Amino acid sequence: MAKNNSLIREENGVMYKKAKTWHIALAMMTGAGQMAFYLLMNGATYIGNANFGILVAVTGLVITGSRLLDGITDPIIAYFLERFNSKFGKVRFSIMFGWLIMALSTTLMCNIGPKLELAGGRGIAYFILCYAIYIIGYTFVSIAGQINMSILTNDPKQRPTIGVWSTAYAYLLPMIMGVVASAVILPRFNNIQGTEYFGTYNAVVIIVSLFFYILACIGIAPYDIPENFEGIKSADSSDTKPGIKDMVALIKDNKELQRFIVAATSDKLAQTIGSAAVVSTMLNGIMIGSMAISSILSAAAMLPSIIFAIIGAKIAGKKGSRAVMIRWTQICIGMNIAYAAYLLFAPTQLVGGILGGNITTGAILMAVIYVLFNFGNNAVKMVVSVATSHLRMDVVDYEMDRSGKYMPATVSATYSFVDKIVSSFGATIATLCVGLIGYTTTAPQQGDPLTWGVKLMTVLLMIGFPIVGWICTLAAMKNSAITYEKMEEIQKNISNKKAAQMQNEYELKRDEEGKILRAL
């Protein structure tokens, strides 16, 4: 990548590397492609039940067991990517290879599998195999997306804006796909999430994700070059590429990585539980009374709340990711306590009657309050999400200053490994919990009776577990050393070490040339 003075910023003696805004916007579309597949596989409980006759509770256990495969795939793929280079780049190869694997697995699961008429043990085995293949592809793309964040820029003013783009895609894509799935595709199949529905949905996801991944490759191409992956050479080694010992040392000795994992994975587990398909159906299809209108109102609340991602980036650029995570996580807890009270005690089903023509003052009032709560909840979560993305990039640089090894793939894989192991229990927890209120052989569907059991379980899964996750985040971040001032010091250390390394290499080269001249 050619040097461009407009992409260099100096502050307090540190030279920061910046990236073009449109490059960041495109590069972070890896998250949009990932989210498309995630939304499809969020309905894995329904896919297993409809396509292979697997009981709801059993499907949840199968998903948990299959995702434990990440205990093997994450470190292997991370090690491979840390040392891999090609003329097609490291990140771009990982993105497109991952897409191919995911597209293959979901097609086998949603389109080909049902035609094979597999049932019983054969159906379960086929489902597990497809899910395992999907996990491998998802891991490739997930690690590539996190590497993107680290190689684009090290500017603390610009880095949070990367989180803005990734957060915006993470919220906009579900909003758009949610409307497409519930208001366009689902009605074609009598509002039943069955075989035909998932077959169509899968085809849409494959096309949409490919579009996003191609754009992401275009955006990251100028930065996906070998020199952007170099670490700092130690005195006893000329190899800056990390080895197995370096990866183990990272996990064992980097306390900031450990704190980040606790904070991020506790939130992710809660999010996975709360966003499970069965929970969404209970909230939107039963408590609100209409998945279609719920998707529309949620979309209306989402668009203005994206502004808070920009606000979060501005604050993180001034105060650092740690300070933002602590303050806005506290706000999340307060907001969701109020949201829980609304869902438990307000006549929320009036909202669903609006599409049927029941436009009363009470229905409009309930709809407005629902939109306001969704807006507020999305807004504060946006800020936390941006700060969390920023913190992961800080951890990569923290490790480079600590050990001299540049390991964005390993940091990502370590987090991803723990995250997937923990969050894999999300589907199981959700399905087992809804089983306690009677959903053992069938999954919740729109139009089911609204009982107090449904109300309490929906609020517990969607709000109760996230509050526990946020409390874990506050505990983990309390003693974190990654402040704004500390990261400025780290960037200065890295810059000085690299300058010293270049000077040493220059002197060695000059000495070698001198020896050759004297020999002549």
Side-chain angles (χ1 to χ4, degrees):
M1 182 177 60
K3 291 185 178 181
N4 186 337
N5 290 333
S6 65
L7 299 179
I8 299 295
R9 186 179 71 84
E10 189 275 334
E11 181 181 7
N12 295 332
V14 182
M15 303 299 293
Y16 293 111
K17 179 189 70 175
K18 300 179 65 176
K20 293 181 179 179
T21 301
W22 73 270
H23 283 160
I24 296 176
L26 291 185
M28 298 320 299
M29 285 185 178
T30 51
Q34 258 188 299
M35 184 56 67
F37 277 106
Y38 175 82
L39 292 170
L40 171 66
M41 296 307 293
N42 201 34
T45 300
Y46 288 86
I47 294 173
N49 183 257
N51 292 353
F52 308 104
I54 305 174
L55 296 179
V56 173
V58 175
T59 305
L61 292 172
V62 168
I63 294 171
T64 299
S66 298
R67 295 191 71 187
L68 294 177
L69 176 67
D70 284 337
I72 300 173
T73 60
D74 276 344
I76 292 175
I77 292 173
Y79 180 76
F80 168 74
L81 289 177
E82 293 287 17
R83 306 184 72 85
F84 173 81
N85 282 308
S86 76
K87 64 179 181 179
F88 302 108
K90 177 183 298 193
V91 176
R92 287 167 289 170
F93 166 82
S94 186
I95 290 172
M96 297 312 300
F97 182 73
W99 171 82
L100 181 63
I101 296 297
M102 288 191 291
L104 172 64
S105 63
T106 57
T107 300
L108 289 171
M109 190 183 298
C110 299
N111 299 88
I112 297 176
K115 297 177 182 178
L116 301 178
E117 298 182 354
L118 301 173
R122 292 193 304 163
I124 294 175
Y126 184 89
F127 183 79
I128 291 174
L129 176 61
C130 293
Y131 206 93
I133 295 172
Y134 165 77
I135 288 171
I136 294 172
Y138 192 89
T139 301
F140 265 98
V141 178
S142 177
I143 293 177
Q146 301 311 322
I147 294 175
N148 280 356
M149 293 183 172
S150 297
I151 64 174
L152 281 166
T153 176
N154 67 342
D155 187 344
K157 303 293 185 184
Q158 189 180 43
R159 266 191 170 174
T161 66
I162 298 177
V164 172
W165 289 103
S166 61
T167 300
Y169 295 144
Y171 280 87
L172 282 174
L173 205 284
M175 178 188 74
I176 296 170
M177 293 299 289
V179 171
V180 171
S182 62
V184 179
I185 302 176
L186 191 60
R188 293 180 56 194
F189 305 105
N190 298 318
N191 291 315
I192 300 297
Q193 298 181 55
T195 299
E196 294 83 3
Y197 165 75
F198 283 109
T200 302
Y201 193 8
N202 178 58
V204 172
V205 165
I206 289 174
I207 295 171
V208 169
S209 61
L210 178 60
F211 171 75
F212 284 124
Y213 287 146
I214 290 174
L215 291 179
C217 288
I218 293 172
I220 198 62
Y223 309 86
D224 189 16
I225 52 179
E227 50 262 44
N228 278 342
F229 296 94
E230 293 179 354
I232 301 170
K233 295 178 183 178
S234 62
D236 58 350
S237 175
S238 61
D239 186 7
T240 62
K241 293 182 179 180
I244 298 296
K245 290 183 179 179
D246 299 309
M247 297 170 71
V248 172
L250 163 68
I251 299 168
K252 180 182 176 182
D253 301 329
N254 192 320
K255 301 299 182 184
E256 296 306 324
L257 173 61
Q258 295 168 8
R259 292 188 179 100
F260 168 76
I261 288 174
V262 170
T265 55
S266 60
D267 287 353
K268 184 61 178 294
L269 172 61
Q271 176 189 338
T272 303
I273 296 171
S275 62
V278 290
V279 180
S280 298
T281 300
M282 288 195 300
L283 172 66
N284 303 322
I286 302 176
M287 292 191 69
I288 300 300
S290 170
M291 295 185 72
I293 193 171
S294 181
S295 296
I296 294 171
L297 293 178
S298 295
M302 179 62 65
L303 290 173
S305 64
I306 291 177
I307 297 173
F308 276 77
I310 301 174
I311 294 174
K314 293 289 186 182
I315 300 174
K318 293 180 179 179
K319 298 184 177 181
S321 52
R322 174 184 176 273
V324 174
M325 284 183 69
I326 292 174
R327 178 55 181 159
W328 286 81
T329 294
Q330 294 170 340
I331 296 174
C332 277
I333 294 174
M335 175 74 68
N336 278 268
I337 290 174
Y339 190 25
Y342 163 76
L343 292 176
L344 286 173
F345 303 111
T348 54
Q349 280 193 311
L350 291 176
V351 179
I354 292 177
L355 282 184
N358 185 25
I359 308 176
T360 64
T361 302
I364 294 175
L365 178 62
M366 288 298 101
V368 170
I369 295 175
Y370 178 72
V371 170
L372 289 176
F373 268 119
N374 272 276
F375 165 71
N377 210 12
N378 292 333
V380 292
K381 286 180 180 179
M382 287 273 189
V383 178
V384 174
S385 180
V386 168
T388 302
S389 297
H390 188 195
L391 183 63
R392 185 190 292 116
M393 292 179 275
D394 287 346
V395 170
V396 173
D397 289 340
Y398 180 90
E399 176 61 24
M400 189 172 180
D401 179 45
R402 191 189 71 85
S403 69
K405 299 296 182 180
Y406 185 64
M407 295 189 283
T410 306
V411 169
S412 174
T414 303
Y415 160 69
S416 181
F417 164 59
V418 179
D419 166 64
K420 289 177 185 177
I421 294 296
V422 172
S423 63
S424 66
F425 291 97
T428 301
I429 292 172
T431 51
L432 290 178
C433 285
V434 299
L436 296 176
I437 58 174
Y439 292 103
T440 54
T441 58
T442 60
Q445 295 287 350
Q446 179 172 308
D448 287 354
L450 176 59
T451 64
W452 265 102
V454 170
K455 278 190 174 184
L456 290 172
M457 190 56 66
T458 303
V459 170
L460 172 65
L461 295 173
M462 195 181 77
I463 296 176
F465 280 102
I467 288 177
V468 173
W470 289 322
I471 291 173
C472 291
T473 296
L474 293 177
M477 287 292 99
K478 181 179 179 181
N479 296 318
S480 173
I482 300 186
T483 62
Y484 183 91
E485 294 75 18
K486 179 63 176 180
M487 288 310 303
E488 186 175 75
E489 177 185 330
I490 285 172
Q491 293 296 346
K492 187 175 294 186
N493 290 343
I494 292 173
S495 179
N496 291 339
K497 289 175 182 178
K498 284 193 171 184
Q501 176 181 305
M502 291 179 64
Q503 180 62 30
N504 289 336
E505 290 175 351
Y506 170 76
E507 290 177 356
L508 287 173
K509 182 179 179 181
R510 188 179 61 182
D511 290 343
E512 289 296 325
E513 291 175 347
K515 290 179 181 178
I516 294 173
L517 290 174
R518 285 193 297 271
L520 294 176

